[in-house]
Amino acid sequence: MKGIFLGCAITLSAAYSATAQESLVSFKEPVEKAINYNKSIKNASLENQKVALDREMVKGKLLPTVSANAMYGYVNSLIDVDLPTQSLPITGISLFEGSQKARVSTQLGLAGVTATQVIFSGLQITNGQKALEQKFKAQQLLTESGYDAVAQEVIMSFDQLMLLKEVDLLIADSEKRLNKEHLKVIQAIDNGLAIPYDRDKLKLAILELESKKAEVESNRELLYFKLEELTGMPVSELEAIQFELSEILLNKDSATEMNRKELQALEASQKAYEYVFKKEKGAKLPQVFAFGNVSYFNAFGTNMNVKDLPVVGDLKLSSNHLRMAPSYAVGIGAKWTIFEGKTHQSSIDKAKLDMQINENKLADTKEKLSLLQRKTLVDYDLSMKKIQVNQQQVDIAKNNLHLASRQFEEGLTDVTERLEAENEYYKQTLNYYNQILNQRTAVLELLKANGNLYQTITR
């Protein structure tokens, strides 16, 4: 009965596969948690925030810059002035004869506020800002391109857990049959119809199943530990996620629609390099800026000693203060770098090279992804054909097991042939479920190759 039930389960699994694509939606929660928990994706997002800050910094260059300054100082200086000698017409007194020496000391106070604003930057700021916007978009798309790989790893781990669940059923099915045969052989030995060798062979087969059970449990524990590390979810929540291990049928038209984030990122990068090129060309144009200033100036406690003046001799002067407040200045300025060697032209040439390199990367990526798309589609079709073959092999192995069991009961075959039939049925059924697993993996590879895995799960 157990074998009949397992055969029916395989048949029902094939029938269920028609709507199995919807089962990917059941992975939405663990996949999203795995993406939010993934440290590499977090770091990539943080790196992209730095680009956003650079973009805001460039944007801020269009805003006015306001600075305030204040200064206090003491000045003490010796002045030596030699002016052309002049004679007064009436008195005949000579002025500025020889050099005149004087000493000046004063205290200075200065304070002011200055504002400047770029009016025209040769479009360097505008193009630089647009380049950083496209760079931000490209890095964001590259970060999102990693979602598919994380989703695939999570789903494949769950698929392996469901495979172990099917192996549990296989082992329990075989164990039940072998225990039944073992009891029959013991009774036959008591009646002299069998030998201890048959009993020991069956016992070895039962012990081998115990070993497989221990191996399955160990693998299950490791898989749950892996999922716990991937998603950050407790094992109790992971164990609650159960589903049928069945094949997934795809709509090839929608599944093979190219939506790779890497291509979109390269296209955004191309636009970024174009804006960088425009920015470098704009450096040839003049930069125009406006400025304004308001200031306060005061020279106080000023003393001046002038020696050996004609007639008057030494002269001492002093002032309480010399104040200029407030002082206003407004205006427009321009800066035009006419020639600076080959620096500017080299920057333009480098921007051109970056554009060409990115174009080549884009073309190369498209070719490789096209090849990958075709390969994964072929692998998907092949996996579907193999499932049909494996299902036929399971049917044949099940019939052979049924015949071998009846012949063993009637004494027409020995225990070795009976165990061979049991092992063959176990092997073919396990191969069938492994092929189901391979088919699901082929589906994931196909969706990932076209950039559609994550959005298929989350939409």
Side-chain angles (χ1 to χ4, degrees):
M1 287 294 294
K2 193 74 174 179
I4 295 174
F5 171 76
L6 193 60
C8 291
I10 293 175
T11 304
L12 287 173
S13 174
Y16 175 75
S17 63
T19 58
Q21 187 174 6
E22 297 176 1
S23 67
L24 289 177
V25 179
S26 64
F27 296 107
K28 181 177 180 179
E29 182 184 2
V31 166
E32 288 183 339
K33 287 187 175 181
I35 288 171
N36 293 329
Y37 190 73
N38 188 278
K39 300 299 186 297
S40 296
I41 291 177
K42 283 184 177 180
N43 285 337
S45 297
L46 292 174
E47 287 292 335
N48 209 21
Q49 288 181 26
K50 290 162 66 175
V51 177
L53 292 174
D54 290 338
R55 180 186 60 191
E56 292 301 315
M57 183 175 66
V58 171
K59 183 179 179 181
K61 291 184 177 181
L62 291 173
L63 300 175
T65 300
V66 180
S67 61
N69 56 77
M71 182 183 71
Y72 165 79
Y74 172 75
V75 177
N76 191 313
S77 178
L78 179 62
I79 302 174
D80 190 341
V81 180
D82 189 357
L83 298 175
T85 303
Q86 300 290 330
S87 297
L88 295 178
I90 299 174
T91 62
I93 298 173
S94 298
L95 297 178
F96 312 119
E97 185 176 0
S99 64
Q100 305 296 322
K101 294 183 179 180
R103 179 173 293 276
V104 178
S105 64
T106 186
Q107 298 182 68
L108 297 175
L110 175 66
V113 176
T114 302
T116 59
Q117 181 171 6
V118 175
I119 299 175
F120 179 71
S121 65
L123 299 178
Q124 290 187 78
I125 295 177
T126 303
N127 288 321
Q129 184 181 346
K130 291 180 179 179
L132 287 171
E133 287 175 356
Q134 293 300 321
K135 182 180 179 181
F136 177 85
K137 181 180 178 181
Q139 290 195 358
Q140 183 64 34
L141 288 167
L142 282 177
T143 301
E144 293 175 4
S145 69
Y147 292 0
D148 281 0
V150 175
Q152 182 185 27
E153 191 171 5
V154 170
I155 295 173
M156 288 179 66
S157 297
F158 275 113
D159 283 355
Q160 290 170 4
L161 283 171
M162 294 306 103
L163 176 63
L164 293 180
K165 181 181 176 182
E166 299 298 339
V167 172
D168 283 337
L169 293 175
L170 273 176
I171 292 175
D173 185 40
S174 293
E175 194 173 34
K176 184 176 181 180
R177 286 194 298 269
L178 291 179
N179 282 329
K180 183 178 178 181
E181 301 289 3
H182 187 252
L183 289 175
K184 290 180 180 179
V185 168
I186 291 176
Q187 292 175 358
I189 291 174
D190 293 339
N191 295 326
L193 299 176
I195 58 177
Y197 173 78
D198 293 340
R199 177 195 62 201
D200 292 342
K201 289 280 287 184
L202 285 169
K203 185 63 177 176
L204 282 174
I206 293 172
L207 290 174
E208 186 176 350
L209 289 177
E210 290 294 330
S211 175
K212 289 179 180 178
K213 285 167 65 176
E215 184 178 352
V216 167
E217 192 59 36
S218 176
N219 290 336
R220 182 181 288 111
E221 183 179 351
L222 288 174
L223 283 170
Y224 274 122
F225 177 75
K226 177 183 178 182
L227 281 169
E228 189 178 23
E229 290 295 311
L230 280 173
T231 63
M233 298 171 64
V235 174
S236 58
E237 292 184 16
L238 294 170
E239 289 176 340
I241 300 175
Q242 301 288 328
F243 57 93
E244 290 290 335
L245 187 65
S246 58
E247 59 190 280
I248 301 175
L249 298 181
L250 292 174
N251 182 336
K252 292 183 182 180
D253 291 335
S254 60
T256 55
E257 182 179 348
M258 185 56 68
N259 190 35
R260 285 294 289 258
K261 301 295 184 183
E262 291 89 338
L263 284 178
Q264 298 174 29
L266 285 171
E267 289 169 355
S269 295
Q270 187 65 22
K271 291 181 180 179
Y273 286 125
E274 290 173 0
Y275 283 123
V276 170
F277 177 69
K278 292 178 181 178
K279 169 183 169 293
E280 295 299 339
K281 288 183 68 177
K284 289 183 176 180
L285 300 175
Q287 298 183 27
V288 182
F289 60 92
F291 67 90
N293 174 268
V294 57
S295 62
Y296 167 88
F297 174 82
N298 188 12
F300 57 95
T302 304
N303 295 304
M304 176 182 291
N305 295 324
V306 184
K307 294 183 178 182
D308 301 328
L309 285 175
V311 181
V312 297
D314 294 345
L315 179 63
K316 293 183 179 181
L317 300 174
S318 64
S319 70
N320 292 328
H321 66 263
L322 172 60
R323 184 178 298 159
M324 298 171 63
S327 297
Y328 299 99
V330 292
I332 295 177
K335 179 184 177 183
W336 195 347
T337 303
I338 299 174
F339 180 75
E340 56 176 344
K342 292 188 176 181
T343 304
H344 180 237
Q345 187 59 43
S346 297
S347 298
I348 294 176
D349 293 340
K350 286 172 66 176
K352 287 182 180 178
L353 292 174
D354 286 335
M355 290 171 58
Q356 293 174 3
I357 291 171
N358 194 76
E359 285 178 359
N360 293 335
K361 285 183 179 179
L362 181 58
D364 183 57
T365 302
K366 285 181 178 179
E367 292 175 359
K368 290 178 178 177
L369 288 179
S370 177
L371 178 61
L372 181 62
Q373 184 184 55
R374 294 163 68 180
K375 177 184 180 300
T376 52
L377 187 58
V378 169
D379 290 343
Y380 168 75
D381 291 336
L382 179 60
S383 67
M384 296 296 295
K385 294 176 183 177
K386 283 187 174 181
I387 285 179
Q388 297 175 2
V389 175
N390 284 121
Q391 193 167 1
Q392 294 176 18
Q393 290 173 330
V394 170
D395 292 339
I396 294 172
K398 184 174 68 173
N399 290 333
N400 290 341
L401 175 61
H402 180 67
L403 291 174
S405 297
R406 292 189 60 182
Q407 289 176 354
F408 180 69
E409 289 177 2
E410 295 172 1
L412 299 178
T413 58
D414 59 17
V415 68
T416 301
E417 293 178 346
R418 169 65 184 83
L419 291 176
E420 285 179 355
E422 184 72 38
N423 290 334
E424 185 64 20
Y425 176 71
Y426 179 91
K427 174 185 172 183
Q428 295 302 331
T429 307
L430 183 60
N431 285 344
Y432 170 79
Y433 283 113
N434 271 318
Q435 186 54 40
I436 290 288
L437 189 67
N438 292 337
Q439 191 271 345
R440 291 173 67 91
T441 301
V443 169
L444 298 179
E445 289 288 352
L446 177 58
L447 290 172
K448 188 179 79 167
N450 293 278
N452 296 319
L453 179 56
Y454 178 71
Q455 69 175 25
T456 300
I457 297 169
T458 55
R459 68 186 173 190

